[in-house]
Amino acid sequence: MITDGVLCGREDDWLREILLGYQGTSPGELAQRILRESEERCQGEDDGTVIAVRLEARPEKI
């Protein structure tokens, strides 16, 4: 999830590329990467919040 300040009214192609290409497992790392890229692109126009979670399948009960 992101707030509107992350995109600062611009296209979201860069965000889609980050999400599709991310190979890590850390939600925090992903959120920080998105926020850093947003700050570079938006130059402080608005504040932004990024929330990332990692979902894992629960083992089946036997």
Side-chain angles (χ1 to χ4, degrees), residues 2-12 14 38 41-42 45-47:
I2 62 169
T3 60
D4 62 336
V6 172
L7 296 176
C8 52
R10 294 179 175 84
E11 295 295 322
D12 64 355
W14 65 268
S38 171
R41 290 172 177 272
C42 295
E45 289 178 30
D46 196 354
D47 60 341

Side-chain angles (χ1 to χ4, degrees), residues 5-52:
V6 172
L7 296 176
C8 52
R10 294 179 175 84
E11 295 295 322
D12 64 355
D13 294 342
W14 65 268
L15 177 58
R16 292 171 188 263
E17 287 179 22
I18 289 175
L19 293 173
L20 289 172
Y22 186 68
Q23 298 294 314
T25 59
S26 170
E29 177 184 286
L30 177 59
Q32 286 297 319
R33 182 173 173 194
I34 291 169
L35 203 51
R36 278 193 308 270
E37 182 69 24
S38 171
E39 288 170 349
E40 287 179 24
R41 290 172 177 272
C42 295
Q43 299 295 310
E45 289 178 30
D46 196 354
D47 60 341
T49 301
V50 177
I51 299 172

